[in-house]
Amino acid sequence: MSAWWMRWRYAKRAAQTSLAAFYSDPPIDLNQCVAEADLLALDFETSGLDPRADRLLSMGWVVISRGRIRMGS
């Protein structure tokens, strides 16, 4: 399924959740250069790959804005 279809399909259901802001944003411009985009890099450290036996140890994130890492983010 395409991104716009998923947003349209689930937007009403998500309107009362914490995802409401995500669904209200317009879809990304597929013609936009990645170097000009705002990105969020996520990092998860786990004790393994089995979700039944292992656990999340830590997580972190950093904002990348127009190709620059925003260290204070």
Side-chain angles (χ1 to χ4, degrees):
M1 265 188 239
S2 67
W4 73 267
W5 172 255
M6 294 288 285
R7 284 175 184 259
W8 178 83
R9 182 175 178 190
Y10 295 111
K12 283 188 177 180
R13 193 179 321 168
Q16 302 303 319
T17 70
S18 58
L19 292 175
F22 170 76
Y23 283 101
S24 67
D25 285 344
I28 61 170
D29 179 5
L30 297 177
N31 296 318
Q32 182 180 18
C33 179
V34 173
E36 296 174 0
D38 290 333
L39 305 171
L40 179 66
L42 302 171
D43 179 43
F44 297 95
E45 302 296 330
T46 65
S47 59
L49 296 176
D50 184 356
R52 291 167 290 181
D54 299 314
R55 61 190 181 114
L56 180 65
L57 300 175
S58 66
M59 63 182 184
W61 63 88
V62 66
V63 174
I64 303 171
S65 180
R66 297 187 177 263
R68 294 180 179 227
I69 297 172
R70 303 296 178 197
M71 297 303 287
S73 66

